[in-house]
Amino acid sequence: MISKTESYKQLLVPEKMPQHVAIIMDGNGRWAKKKNRPRLFGHSQGVKSVRNVVEASVEIGVKHLTLYAFSLENWNRPQSEVSGLMSLMISTIQKEFKTLHKNNVRIKLVGNLALLPTSVKEKVFETERITQNNTAMTLNIALSYGSQWEIAEAAKKIAIDVSQNKISPDDITPESFSQYLLTSHSPDPELLIRTSGEFRISNFLLYQMAYTELYFTDTLWPDFGKEAFYEAIYHFQQRERRFGKISEQLPSNSNQ
Ligand code: FPP
């Protein structure tokens, strides 16, 4: 008998694999509360799901994975939770780094990193540097991230480039603008997954998700394993992506 995970995996069509999947990992706190455990226990269990989706992505050939680990708004959580999460980030990066590097995974941090404690900053910069030439997959960790902030920063950099005559206002196009975003090294995500039954984008990749397929599941993040990930991709592969065109204009076997 093959497992449900394996059967979902076998249903996936390689030609329709999304190049980039973004995930809002939500529900750690509620998961812990249901078990009468502290919120940080939920976050540490959430790391297991991170490991599972990274592994699953490498297995099925997803080339870019972006995980929303900590938003700019999350800085407003109780101090004990913020510092617990920061310690968890460092210990996770430290623990998983070797395996990721061995599997040829490039790690990129996207967010307002200036706000991070020095110890976290040092660790993440070192990790980015060592893995910068890896090619199997890019793992973007959105940390201290807010999309409106990212867009405002891009506008600021463009204004500086215009004022220094490096570009002219006519050079600003949707494509050139996206080169000023922190995710310029990755294509736009084709699929966004949000766990825990919330139907919000929460200031995540607003510019990049103009045509992203959205997938919401009630599963809480610590319960989100490989099976749930493959199931989400299976549903994505059933969607017709028209990009404003009509069905008849689409190549019949394309997922574009
Ligand atoms: C949302 O659940 C989850 C977070 C704010 C943190 C997620 C971070 C991890 C799982 C660690 C990942 C580490 C790396 C290095 C990628 P919540 O606290 O908002 O849950 P709730 O809505 O149920 O309260």
Side-chain angles (χ1 to χ4, degrees):
M1 253 263 301
I2 75 164
S3 67
K4 253 179 118 182
T5 306
E6 206 45 43
S7 54
Y8 264 119
K9 191 175 171 188
Q10 287 179 8
L11 286 173
L12 301 180
V13 179
E15 301 75 44
K16 287 187 164 189
M17 209 55 84
Q19 286 296 291
H20 184 176
V21 177
I23 307 184
I24 301 178
M25 314 181 282
D26 198 9
N28 294 347
R30 276 163 284 164
W31 184 91
K33 195 170 181 191
K34 278 197 344 199
K35 295 189 156 28
N36 284 321
R37 302 293 296 266
R39 291 178 58 82
L40 276 172
F41 181 66
H43 295 312
S44 65
Q45 291 299 300
V47 171
K48 292 187 182 164
S49 302
V50 169
R51 198 176 301 126
N52 279 325
V53 294
V54 173
E55 255 178 45
S57 297
V58 173
E59 279 171 30
I60 60 174
V62 168
K63 299 291 283 180
H64 302 261
L65 179 67
T66 301
L67 302 177
Y68 205 1
F70 192 87
S71 71
L72 280 175
E73 291 77 18
N74 287 154
W75 287 113
N76 299 321
R77 288 194 175 192
Q79 188 47 43
S80 56
E81 181 165 344
V82 171
S83 53
L85 269 167
M86 287 302 142
S87 310
L88 185 65
M89 302 287 173
I90 305 199
S91 64
T92 303
I93 292 173
Q94 247 157 359
K95 239 188 267 163
E96 305 295 335
F97 161 74
K98 267 198 190 132
T99 317
L100 290 168
H101 190 37
K102 205 171 70 199
N103 282 285
N104 199 15
V105 174
R106 170 171 69 152
I107 299 165
K108 297 285 275 183
L109 273 291
V110 293
N112 187 352
L113 305 183
L115 301 180
L116 294 171
T118 310
S119 56
V120 180
K121 245 185 305 200
E122 281 171 358
K123 195 77 233 156
V124 300
F125 289 149
E126 189 196 359
T127 306
E128 282 192 326
R129 188 180 47 76
I130 298 175
T131 63
Q132 64 184 337
N133 295 320
N134 291 349
T135 53
M137 189 182 87
T138 298
L139 172 61
N140 294 312
I141 301 174
L143 189 60
S144 186
Y145 176 84
S147 187
Q148 291 179 331
W149 168 83
E150 178 192 30
I151 293 168
E153 284 297 301
K156 218 185 288 176
K157 286 178 214 150
I158 290 172
I160 293 170
D161 280 358
V162 169
S163 71
Q164 295 177 348
N165 289 320
K166 289 187 184 150
I167 59 167
S168 98
D170 287 337
D171 294 329
I172 305 166
T173 63
E175 293 74 27
S176 71
F177 192 95
S178 68
Q179 289 309 305
Y180 285 85
L181 296 171
L182 296 172
T183 53
S184 60
H185 53 276
S186 291
D188 288 346
E190 290 105 316
L191 171 64
L192 167 80
I193 299 170
R194 181 171 190 151
T195 58
S196 91
E198 306 287 356
F199 299 98
R200 281 189 295 278
I201 300 298
S202 298
N203 202 8
F204 189 43
L205 305 177
L206 301 179
Y207 192 92
Q208 297 89 331
M209 290 212 285
Y211 269 101
T212 300
E213 295 293 328
L214 309 180
Y215 177 87
F216 298 100
T217 170
D218 286 339
T219 305
L220 301 175
W221 180 249
D223 291 328
F224 192 89
K226 285 187 181 183
E227 181 190 327
F229 185 64
Y230 295 146
E231 187 181 354
I233 293 180
Y234 172 75
H235 283 283
F236 163 80
Q237 294 193 336
Q238 309 312 307
R239 305 237 182 124
E240 182 181 71
R241 307 191 70 213
R242 291 191 295 277
F243 297 98
K245 294 182 182 169
I246 64 168
S247 283
E248 288 71 19
Q249 292 175 293
L250 306 173
S252 56
N253 59 354
S254 157
N255 72 329
Q256 299 295 296

